[in-house]
Amino acid sequence: MDRRTFGLLCDLLRQDGRVKDDGLVCLEEQVGVLRLQDILLKVLDPVHDNCVDSRWRRFKNCLGALDGTYIKVGVAEIDKPRYRTRKVKLQQMCWEFSFWLLRYYYLVDGGYLNDEGFLAPYRGTRYHLSEWRDGHTPSNHEEYFNMKHASARKVIERCFGLIKARWGILRSPSFYPIKTQCRIITACCLLHNLIKREMSIDPIEHEINELEDGENMVEGDMLGTIRPSDQWTAKRNDMALQMYN
């Protein structure tokens, strides 16, 4: 971050983070970012009827894109099975608190089930944006839905790429206690939010090229014992037909 943003961060910590100089280590050296979680945490805001963003306006009530990414951490041997997968575990955890989603949902890729709160693309149908270049156009409502879905959902993969490019500690194995490692990841995300909010020009973002649109859609890690929801299958079909028409 630039000096102005860093100065703002320190001012926020003095005012709202209750962090003080202790006479040995000054505030600028001890920055306790997690104290600012209530200020820097991004609040979910669903897509509204008046949305003008061409990528998102067709997905009313969508909360955003959901995905997982690998970050190398050190854990006790007994806990390793809990950290080996991302999508199955992530969807299971989200189901545990999905009761509050009601009519809201996330855009997810083919590694997730199309189920309550999770709107996945049509499987076995062209999806990646690279497949729509050179004058190719969708031939039916399923292809059209997948094209719009991919255009919006790619924001999460770009976000992961940007955060990992910005914070080197997320790109290499860490040997702190797992509780500390989780706090480091959270702190990196909060600082990322501050930079996005306060800096009109982000040099890291300008250095990153768009993630390849042709990246393979993950087909594995499916929950084999649970079937996609018929209700959400019908919801997706209705949405796709409305878009296509």
Side-chain angles (χ1 to χ4, degrees), residues 1-11 28-29 31:
M1 64 183 74
D2 57 25
R3 290 187 177 187
R4 186 194 68 83
T5 306
F6 183 70
L8 174 63
L9 172 62
C10 292
D11 288 341
E28 285 73 12
E29 292 176 308
V31 225

Side-chain angles (χ1 to χ4, degrees), residues 71-86:
I71 296 177
K72 296 178 181 180
V73 298
V75 298
E77 191 71 27
I78 193 173
D79 291 330
K80 285 185 177 180
R82 299 172 54 196
Y83 294 87
R84 283 191 181 130
T85 63
R86 55 190 178 115

